[in-house]
Amino acid sequence: MLHALSYDFMQQALAASLLASIACGVIGTLVVVNRLVFLAGGVSHAAYGGVGLAFHYGWPVLPSAIGFSVASSMLMAGVALKRPEKADTAIGVLWAAGMAFGIILIDLTPGYKADLMSFLFGSILAVPVTDLYLMAALDAALLAVVALCHQTLLVTSFDREFAEARGLPVRTAHYLVVGMTAVGVVMLIRVVGLVLVMALLTIPPFIAARSARSLPSILRGRAGPGLPLGRDLGRGHHRRGLGRVHGRVRRGRAAASPWQIRPELNPWFREHRGTSP
Amino acid sequence: MPASAPATPGAPHTPHEPVIAVRGLCFAYGDDPVLDHVDLTVERGEFLAVLGPNGGGKTTLLKLLLGLLAPRSGSVEVFGGPPRAALPRIGYVPQYSTARLDFPVTVLDVVLMGLAGTRRGLFGRHWSRDAASVDRAREALDQVGLSGMERRMVGELSGGQRQRAVVARALMAQPELLLLDEPTASIDPQGSFCFFEFLGTLRGPHTLVVVSHDLSIATSTFSNVAFVNRTLVHSRGAGLTPDMLAMLYGHHEKTCPMGAFISSVSGLFPVLPRMNDLPPSSAATPPVPPDPPAHPDASTRPVAKDA
């Protein structure tokens, strides 16, 4: 295991998992407390439309996927605001439409066909260094936005009607949360894949929320599955004297990580090892 | 005061200026009229109970007063200007159901949230946890009988306690006008805290509008009662007239249990002398009161107010 860390690709994979875990922690917390899990699922699938566009027209994949999913997430967010009772349906439609659009475009593209499997499972061991920088920049942007607007986000998430009555920009905050979700989800798909994104966005914040006493403490306590945050997590519940929660959080973290730190469990890796030198 | 008052260019704020001035207000969701030519004036220091059946338009009226909904026709003025400009001076206690129960937040933080709205933008801090704010939050919690609860999580509170925490949150911003939507909907029956008494203590510095479908709230120390059921009947001096009760329950024969209840209830409350025993004739569903106290002039009648 330690020997494996001496490879460049392993170090990059580790860095990618750390960066992904920060995004997971920030976005996952917002997604869970705002009950946007279904929307996050819709956005992550619709992102495939952006992948298809990128392949068909030869655009760079990450920016066009981000653009496409931000656009579709804004549509979903708009419906969620104006017709909350129809939001579920709209998300489902965009979920399917985005993905179908991507598949059709990729099928129409001559030459090398991108593998749907890499979209589903990600490719943490194949993350190029340039993507690492992009991820670091997106992480910094997410953290900065959350640090700057966290009180507004807190009030609008907790009690929207009250926030409106205080004159807070409830709509803008809603679009902001959804937009950040779209950006973060696409970034995570690149690394961990579509399937694991939903797990990483929902399970760790849920576990952390059981011992957290405030929104920032979830954010901190759970800046992701890859980080050695035992001490920070410990602080939150020693205050409450619930030692066993600590164990649960650690198990939760361990359960979320094997694909990230034990690449032989990732099907993509096995394939990859067979084809690359 | 940053709140602009474009409607009264001469005097920015006179003590006699009504806090709420609603004129000819109509509102509808789709084609169904919810409020029809409603007039309402609330003076400073007044304590108004707005009673009405579920679906009668009470919450809609509150949302119009907050500027969260725009009227189809007519005008709404709060502190002499458009409602949205007055928001910093209004404390609002929404119906309890709007807050998230599973939210990881302590009671103290909920109360501190009351300071939100002191700045308009998305960015920046609305409040800090300095000693002064925390003391003020504790004071607000004392006022609603929740002292010592500030470290609890909201999810651990009972329904009635949560309701009171939300009232404390509204008090944080030291509002001049307090709007409460169904505050007694989740009072804990075993609690020693008397909500009606508490509402009475708020009366001094605040102008209060309490909306409820619960007739028992009329036993509080209100200065006025208004009944809303598509139209609005406003009574100066607390009193329940049979036509008001008819707005709540419809018209009934004396022999009908409901009719018996109405006549017994109207005996329980101080009744205004101008009430006349109208014959319980037609059972109109959205009863437009057949008698004069109904419309605009009701609010302009000389006020017999204490304080």
Side-chain angles (χ1 to χ4, degrees):
Chain A
M1 191 67 206
L2 281 175
H3 173 69
L5 286 175
S6 62
Y7 294 114
D8 272 359
F9 74 89
M10 272 305 289
Q11 286 164 9
Q12 282 170 26
L14 205 61
S17 79
L18 285 177
L19 291 171
S21 67
I22 291 170
C24 276
V26 174
I27 293 162
T29 308
L30 290 173
V31 163
V32 168
V33 298
N34 282 294
R35 294 185 194 155
L36 294 174
V37 175
F38 189 52
L39 189 139
V43 168
S44 59
H45 285 77
Y48 200 60
V51 177
L53 275 177
F55 271 93
H56 195 68
Y57 295 103
W59 298 339
V61 175
L62 209 51
S64 46
I66 286 178
F68 193 84
S69 53
V70 167
S72 53
S73 74
M74 290 297 120
L75 266 175
M76 297 179 197
V79 177
L81 265 185
K82 296 217 171 59
R83 305 281 303 273
E85 71 283 359
K86 296 270 183 228
D88 248 21
T89 315
I91 292 169
V93 168
L94 283 166
W95 176 312
M99 197 147 187
F101 182 62
I103 290 172
I104 291 170
L105 279 182
I106 286 179
D107 205 51
L108 291 176
T109 310
Y112 169 72
K113 300 274 163 52
D115 187 4
L116 190 62
M117 290 304 274
S118 73
F119 181 73
L120 288 180
F121 296 110
S123 47
I124 191 163
L125 290 167
V127 176
V129 182
T130 49
D131 273 16
L132 286 183
Y133 287 122
L134 184 62
M135 286 170 71
L138 285 175
D139 271 351
L142 284 177
L143 287 173
V145 169
V146 169
L148 281 172
C149 338
H150 108 259
Q151 288 191 332
T152 306
L153 294 178
L154 175 65
V155 180
T156 49
S157 306
F158 176 62
D159 191 341
R160 190 149 128 203
E161 202 175 307
F162 173 76
E164 265 184 317
R166 294 306 297 168
L168 293 182
V170 174
R171 286 160 173 276
T172 320
H174 176 73
Y175 283 115
L176 180 71
V177 169
V178 172
M180 288 201 302
T181 306
V183 172
V185 158
V186 173
M187 188 175 113
L188 292 167
I189 287 175
R190 181 84 178 81
V191 179
V192 298
L194 186 56
V195 178
L196 204 52
V197 159
M198 296 314 293
L200 289 182
L201 283 183
T202 51
I203 299 170
F206 165 71
I207 294 168
R210 300 180 65 132
S211 61
R213 296 183 62 84
S214 69
L215 207 51
S217 81
I218 298 187
L219 281 167
R220 257 186 286 119
R222 112 115 245 92
L227 284 178
L229 280 170
R231 193 189 61 82
D232 204 9
L233 286 169
R235 223 178 33 175
H237 52 81
H238 282 164
R239 235 185 277 147
R240 293 184 89 198
L242 288 174
R244 66 205 161 82
V245 180
H246 194 184
R248 212 182 301 148
V249 171
R250 274 164 55 150
R251 279 197 296 281
R253 206 173 68 221
S257 30
W259 279 16
Q260 294 199 329
I261 55 178
R262 293 183 57 200
E264 67 273 17
L265 292 180
N266 187 334
W268 171 251
F269 175 74
R270 268 182 248 149
E271 229 170 277
H272 207 261
R273 210 167 31 174
T275 52
S276 59
Chain B
M1 263 291 132
S4 54
T8 52
H13 196 88
T14 57
H16 300 297
E17 178 198 343
V19 174
I20 296 173
V22 173
R23 275 180 284 270
L25 174 70
C26 296
F27 185 81
Y29 296 106
D31 292 329
D32 258 355
V34 179
L35 293 170
D36 194 9
H37 291 93
V38 164
D39 296 279
L40 177 70
T41 310
V42 178
E43 306 286 343
R44 184 163 288 266
E46 207 173 287
F47 191 172
L48 174 73
V50 178
L51 300 177
N54 291 326
K58 304 181 303 282
T59 301
T60 305
L61 180 63
L62 276 196
K63 289 192 170 168
L64 286 157
L65 291 178
L66 286 163
L68 301 182
L69 298 172
R72 281 280 169 92
S73 63
S75 73
V76 178
E77 278 181 12
V78 182
F79 294 112
R84 293 210 68 89
L87 283 182
R89 303 162 76 180
I90 306 177
Y92 174 48
V93 180
Q95 270 192 48
Y96 160 61
S97 54
T98 65
R100 296 270 163 88
L101 292 187
D102 53 348
F103 209 85
V105 63
T106 60
V107 173
L108 181 68
D109 284 330
V110 170
V111 178
L112 284 172
M113 277 185 212
L115 294 174
T118 40
R119 41 187 307 141
R120 275 305 163 89
L122 191 64
F123 299 100
R125 298 179 73 82
H126 294 268
W127 69 90
S128 65
R129 296 180 59 128
D130 55 39
S133 312
V134 172
D135 279 353
R136 215 158 110 194
R138 290 224 170 88
E139 213 172 284
L141 282 170
D142 271 355
Q143 250 181 300
V144 298
L146 287 180
S147 28
M149 301 280 233
E150 62 264 21
R151 300 290 306 150
R152 298 271 193 96
M153 307 294 293
V154 268
E156 294 169 7
L157 300 184
S158 73
Q161 289 171 331
R162 230 175 276 133
Q163 178 78 43
R164 275 140 60 188
V166 171
V167 175
R169 176 179 69 177
L171 294 176
M172 258 319 256
Q174 295 172 328
E176 293 162 67
L177 168 66
L178 205 53
L179 305 176
L180 298 105
D181 196 355
E182 300 279 3
T184 56
S186 51
I187 288 181
D188 14 22
Q190 77 282 18
S192 54
F193 182 83
C194 177
F195 207 92
F196 300 110
E197 207 180 303
F198 164 71
L199 288 177
T201 65
L202 286 179
R203 203 176 154 178
H206 307 279
T207 305
L208 245 79
V209 176
V210 178
V211 149
S212 185
H213 72 278
D214 180 2
L215 201 59
S216 68
I217 201 164
T219 55
S220 303
T221 51
F222 287 100
S223 54
N224 297 296
V225 179
F227 275 75
V228 178
N229 189 0
R230 201 158 66 83
T231 53
L232 186 140
V233 181
H234 195 186
S235 129
R236 293 281 167 187
L240 295 177
T241 57
D243 43 323
M244 286 176 164
L245 290 169
M247 277 182 90
L248 261 180
Y249 300 111
H251 292 274
H252 297 270
E253 298 292 338
K254 281 259 164 44
T255 49
C256 151
M258 202 63 199
F261 171 71
I262 289 175
S263 52
S264 72
V265 160
S266 54
L268 277 178
F269 298 99
V271 177
L272 293 184
R274 67 184 159 79
M275 107 186 201
N276 42 357
D277 240 329
L278 35 109
S281 50
S282 58
T285 9
V288 180
D291 254 20
H295 283 313
D297 59 308
S299 52
T300 51
R301 191 167 298 149
V303 187
K305 242 195 335 189
D306 34 351

